Amino acid sequence: MKILKSFGARDLIVIAALAAIGIAIKPVVGPIFKMISTPLGIPGGSFAGGFYMLWLVLAVLIVNKPYAGTLFGILQAIGVLIMGLAGNQGALSLITYTVPGIVVDVLYMLIGHRTRLFTHMVLCALANLAGTLLSAWLFFNHPPLFMALIGALALGSGLIGGVLSCGLYKTLQNMRII
């Protein structure tokens, strides 16, 4: 594919490594967030999603090439399917993991500015919102008022994830890793 040829080996390693980190932390972090969200009747993914989406945002900002987010989402979806971590989503994980990547790709083309906190926060928040609302609509058929509630929670979680993403990005820059 012509799109894949635009990525160098370093780009693909960064995308794959960050996608793998995102998959690896879910079984560790997910139960911690679910201890809080389950008693409140809130889906854990919307609550913890900002923490998961920060890896997507980092990949897009480090690689800085079109379709990096989409590729990240596809790789993560394939990874969760292979590892059996797709939960109740099954093959639809290809959609629910890829759409946030597409959202980040489109927004990043419009916003740019890799080092700005605002960029990290907006990308992470809207990626989490997209993933949360898509999952809520596809799998759970939540009523509109509840979708608005979990959407607001997803935005808040995404803003926090964006702050973490920016901190990690700047740390990697200061250490001259990127």
Side-chain angles (χ1 to χ4, degrees):
M1 291 177 68
K2 187 177 181 181
I3 293 171
L4 282 177
K5 289 181 183 178
S6 69
F7 293 102
R10 176 195 172 273
D11 300 330
L12 295 172
I13 290 168
V14 167
I15 292 169
L18 291 173
I21 290 170
I23 292 170
I25 63 162
K26 277 191 174 193
V28 176
V29 175
I32 295 168
F33 281 101
K34 285 183 182 177
M35 285 190 315
I36 299 166
S37 67
T38 301
L40 298 173
I42 299 168
S46 61
F47 187 55
F51 191 73
Y52 302 144
M53 295 298 170
L54 75 90
W55 308 106
L56 163 63
V57 172
L58 272 177
V60 169
L61 297 177
I62 290 170
V63 171
N64 194 27
K65 289 185 180 169
Y67 308 108
T70 304
L71 182 57
F72 179 98
I74 292 168
L75 281 175
Q76 245 194 356
I78 292 169
V80 297
L81 286 170
I82 289 171
M83 296 182 70
L85 299 173
N88 60 351
Q89 295 184 7
L92 288 175
S93 294
L94 288 168
I95 296 169
T96 60
Y97 278 75
T98 305
V99 167
I102 294 169
V103 167
V104 171
D105 281 337
V106 169
L107 289 171
Y108 184 58
M109 283 187 249
L110 298 173
I111 298 173
H113 308 293
R114 291 184 286 181
T115 59
R116 287 192 182 160
L117 175 61
F118 174 78
T119 302
H120 288 259
M121 292 173 70
V122 167
L123 294 179
C124 200
L126 293 179
N128 194 31
L129 178 65
T132 295
L133 293 180
L134 187 60
S135 294
W137 176 68
L138 279 176
F139 304 111
F140 303 110
N141 198 24
H142 291 308
L145 183 60
F146 189 70
M147 292 207 18
L149 172 70
I150 62 173
L153 185 61
L155 284 172
S157 172
L159 291 172
I160 294 168
V163 171
L164 295 172
S165 171
C166 188
L168 284 169
Y169 185 87
K170 288 185 178 186
T171 299
L172 292 170
Q173 262 189 329
N174 289 340
M175 296 174 75
R176 296 186 177 153
I177 294 172
I178 57 172

